[in-house]
Amino acid sequence: MFKKILIANRGEIAVRVIQTCKDMNIKTVAVYSDADKTALHVLEADEAVHIGPSDPSQSYLAMDKIIGAALKTRAQAIHPGYGFLSENPEFVEKCTQAEIVFIGPSAQAIRKMGDKITSRKIMMAGGVPITPGLTGSHHTLDEMGQKADEIGYPVLIKATAGGGGKGIRIVHSQEELSDACESASREAKNAFGNPDIYLEKFFPRARHIEFQILADNFGNTIHLLERECSIQRRHQKIIEETPSPAVSPSLREEMGNTAVTAAKAAEYVNAGTIEFLLDDQNRYYFLEMNTRLQVEHPVTEMITGIDLVRQQLEIAAGNPLTLTQSDISARGHAIECRIYAEDPENDFFPSPGKIEFFKEPGGPGIRNDSGIYSGCTVPVEYDPILSKLTTHGETRDQTIAKMIKALKSYIVLGVKTPIDFLIDILSSPPFKEGDVFTNFIDTHFSTWKPTEKNRDLACLAFLVDEVCKKKNRSTDGDEKKQPPGPFHTLGNWNL
Amino acid sequence: MFKKILIANRGEIAVRVIQTCKDMNIKTVAVYSDADKTALHVLEADEAVHIGPSDPSQSYLAMDKIIGAALKTRAQAIHPGYGFLSENPEFVEKCTQAEIVFIGPSAQAIRKMGDKITSRKIMMAGGVPITPGLTGSHHTLDEMGQKADEIGYPVLIKATAGGGGKGIRIVHSQEELSDACESASREAKNAFGNPDIYLEKFFPRARHIEFQILADNFGNTIHLLERECSIQRRHQKIIEETPSPAVSPSLREEMGNTAVTAAKAAEYVNAGTIEFLLDDQNRYYFLEMNTRLQVEHPVTEMITGIDLVRQQLEIAAGNPLTLTQSDISARGHAIECRIYAEDPENDFFPSPGKIEFFKEPGGPGIRNDSGIYSGCTVPVEYDPILSKLTTHGETRDQTIAKMIKALKSYIVLGVKTPIDFLIDILSSPPFKEGDVFTNFIDTHFSTWKPTEKNRDLACLAFLVDEVCKKKNRSTDGDEKKQPPGPFHTLGNWNL
Amino acid sequence: MEYNLQIKDKTITVEMTLKQDCWLSATIKNSPDDRTDYEQIQYGRISDHQVRLMVNGQQINAWIIDQTDGKTIIIGGERFFIQDKDKLAQTQTLNPRTDKGPDQVTPPMPAVVINVPVQLGDIVEKGDTVVVVSAMKMETSLVAPHGGTITRIGINEGDKVMPGDILIDIEKNEVDKIEIN
Amino acid sequence: MEYNLQIKDKTITVEMTLKQDCWLSATIKNSPDDRTDYEQIQYGRISDHQVRLMVNGQQINAWIIDQTDGKTIIIGGERFFIQDKDKLAQTQTLNPRTDKGPDQVTPPMPAVVINVPVQLGDIVEKGDTVVVVSAMKMETSLVAPHGGTITRIGINEGDKVMPGDILIDIEKNEVDKIEIN
């Protein structure tokens, strides 16, 4: 096993990788930009290397700087996390040239799966069902329009590169097509350096179901069951769970086998995810393969009891999988909520700033993966994900109740978060019934406003805070004497 | 199910019970003494009732006040936690008289099992093996001496009432017997109001192995596997784990069946624990039955995936067990460390005071059950347990490594804790090999002193803290201007 | 004492009387017809960012932080930004957050201008995209708050912009003005 | 600057030189023969209770709290109580924690006296139990720090006692004194 690895990422996922490294007695090297000098991932690592200015292109995306940091600190391998360089085949090649192990798949596999068109072709050839749509690159607007007419609106414009909800547009009619293509192409170019887009059928009532797979260098490929990731805003997941309420045992087996087939067709090694679309007729289609650890991997870890980062490290170190498909079974139900720094009342616009106070809920069946602490700063330059809250219970109902409880005790002061929005989704009848689909939020929550049940109490708390501050100030003259906390002067209130 | 329950306890176990109640949408009523006005269990409950002065006899042991609080708040049931009134049959009877459900066994079962002599007799009659020793009450010193000579020294003096390590003495020779009996009897009288003691054989190399059981009102009794609780100081457990490294699958089945037999012999209902002694010849003996939730229940919850408090509530509400023995299986390994406010360098003497700062470790496979927060006070009047840290991993080695990592990130400032002592135990070869027994600490760690590997660094940190404070003070004149945090003026240090 | 608190576009009047031993009573008026009396509330501070209320026997934990011109308060997972209207008036900085925005084209946070799809003199309708900005790697369209003619474009593509910067001026058309009057 | 720090019964001398941009160098002398040079240490404060050091490329997080006459510092799970000897001397309160105890019968924390198994005039040996106290429901025996004769018993059963209270005086026997000299 490696003695020391570098983590080419930041935030909660870098902290997550460090956790498993500490479990395995592997030393860790963090990298950081100007904006992240005191970020949590830096504090948690054994060593930390500054790699440049805050702009990602000059730090977390600067391949040579990161490889230089690994060489300088004698890190034997690099874990890319998700985002940034995690799906960049050129980076994998540069690692190989520098004789550093890339903890992930081969450059070739990333390249093939990273291009949506190539991956669609490979899956078609492997007998994996794909969504109706285009399978060539560099389509003219006319070709796009023609295909859209053929498969019928609404259609989805997608960047052939990248992921993470960037470069995606839903188009409901021919008139919108031109603008949507232009805007998606521009966003794709900015995000991935590649303006190419293509088109596929949009299923408004479909679910997003993905299968976690693990594959070693010895031809062993297994899946670790599914994740239901249908609850999305701005085409980005915010609530994920497993098992999916829509997947029966027989469908699970069929889709799982297809996922393994797909991973093998891609000649894939390490941890990856096969994303499927499941329509309201229970037909499923290959959407894309994510050639990295997913944001939502904790739900899989909680129900299978398997540490996916440990598996990634073992595979990258050249060890064979010790798990077989029959070792994989689900226990209970798990749900993850992503806590972003964003304003749910204002179209989820990012809300960077200083975290003045942070308190996570604890107790049985609750897991926090977070990249922040009281007093840290959330920079404007990076993705707004702060942390992930995951709950695990015996049944879906119990797990939802536990998540609502945990969210109510999740305190972030200083930036806005969608915690109240998440509570309302989890409490809603369609979510409770498991009747979710990819435009669930647009359908049920497009006009969401906070209910403000506690508005009166908030007003009272506002005034009480002022009153307590005044009382403390009035005793400030006598410094030695502890100002009597209000509850020290309490009478007995209830008996 | 109950709509509202009262929790007749404090600290981490009261918070633990509240957690499950919130998951089940059951309202909670906390009770508190003068010392606990702002304790965490009070803050976490929906309602809180003051029940008296700090002295436990006038608050947490004051049965009528607690029942009065339940009646006043219309709580339908009382959860006793562990300690305090949890094994007091009179309290159960008073609950019944007040038409409040006691979440636990019947008064009769508590009475029978609470008296060690009666329980030994019942187990003998039920065919359960017991340790060699006395089985009558009110023994004269002569009788004690005679029996000790017969079974051979060392022997154990034990209170017939109570538990939790109180009223226990190891006696190595006849000369020590008289003093030990007197002191144990006095401690027993103070702790349990009953001075009776008895004597049994002491096995110096024995393990303490206990089985969790669940029994409903319909005659269904199952066990939830074992816990190894051999690591004790002052006869009180500090590290528990499951599975036990000493228990083979066949021994597990045999002991599990015996535990179920024992619970049935006691006509037991609700959650309970059968404690066994396992000697170095793999012979096991019934020690006693704990008729309540155990401190160490989280390790069982983590490997079985079952919420024991939820099971307690379901059984108390009159529902049948939905679990059968074949539903119970272990996944992975779990270890719990108890974090006490105590000084491991000074014979584990309690260390009450104000918690100035508290930070728990997070991440996959780590569970915190705690009763404290930054700024709270640990009163001198109660047991010094602050919290329990539990880790869960795929194997014992992984779980130990995760625990050591977690302990190193567990920060308590303001009171002393045995964290460094726990790290040294977990890192020691005999513990790693699973070669543990009840006087493990006396054998291997009786002269323990901190290794102070980081002493030089601590000296540097001391001076750096002073330097940073001086820098901040020198910029205090300009309040609006944020004093430049040292790392804001950092150069790039490594590239 | 009577206090006027501002939450979004709502003004809430609180009549509060402090009593001994950290007890208070209060009447909250959301509107002339909607008033609630709270008698016998016990209160106390737990820490810098936490206060506790006991209202009708129920414990309420509120998490609080002072911010410019107001406080953010979290109770039971709900977040509130509350301002003291009278205090704001005294300090002459009355600018409740909801006052800005509707009539101005300004980014809600620091951002970079990606695209300006309008030109000087263009006539736009309410809701038309006039600037596209990007922040935290996300594109957002800023739209015309009302119909009218573009009379000034204060930014170029690539510019870094801040909340409060007025990026584009739109003069209302005569027709709109008449409709408004 | 040179500092003399006290950890338990050990005095450690630190020669520290502050440099620009939060760098420092230091030499730590545990004894005349045991000295370690630390060059190029970078340091900074993370929060009220956390400082960070970078020593030879390794990051060290230290958790710190000021206490009476010293600081408690936690690094890597180890806890240290450190005092500045020179500062203590200045404030004339030099009383390192290890100075007390060995020669006095005093409880280590607030406690209640449970039993006093000795009487005035009794001759005791070092290690004999002279008082039993209880705290946090745990009984602890306080033992004679040296052999001698009980010359004073300052407490009764049931008394509440505090650290620093001298519960019992034991006068050393002549024989012991000779042995010591």
Side-chain angles (χ1 to χ4, degrees), chain A residues 37 42-43 45-47 373, chain D residues 46 50 52 57-59 61:
Chain A
K37 278 176 180 169
V42 178
L43 298 179
D46 294 304
E47 300 176 47
Y373 59 91
Chain D
I46 301 300
Q50 185 179 8
R52 176 170 60 157
Q58 301 300 302
Q59 288 207 102
N61 288 290

Side-chain angles (χ1 to χ4, degrees), chain A residues 299-347:
Chain A
V299 292
T300 298
E301 294 186 326
M302 288 191 97
I303 68 152
T304 62
I306 292 164
D307 180 338
L308 285 169
V309 174
R310 183 185 287 266
Q311 295 295 327
Q312 286 193 296
L313 289 163
E314 293 285 358
I315 292 168
N319 297 327
L321 274 177
T322 54
L323 297 163
T324 62
Q325 192 62 56
S326 61
D327 294 326
I328 309 303
S329 65
R331 170 177 281 174
H333 198 96
I335 299 181
E336 173 188 280
C337 285
R338 302 190 187 187
I339 314 293
Y340 290 105
E342 66 181 19
D343 185 357
E345 284 186 74
N346 189 13
D347 205 16

Side-chain angles (χ1 to χ4, degrees), chain A residues 6-7 14 36 40 57 62 67 93 125 129 147 153 174 198 208 229 231 234 286 288 301 312 338 421 442 444 491:
Chain A
L6 181 144
I7 296 137
D36 278 341
L40 188 61
S57 66
I67 287 171
E93 285 160 354
K147 192 71 182 180
Y153 286 92
Q174 207 179 334
Y198 73 103
H208 176 119
C229 311
I231 307 288
R234 285 179 174 272
F286 172 84
E288 61 182 60
E301 294 186 326
Q312 286 193 296
R338 302 190 187 187
F421 180 67
D442 289 341
H444 296 297

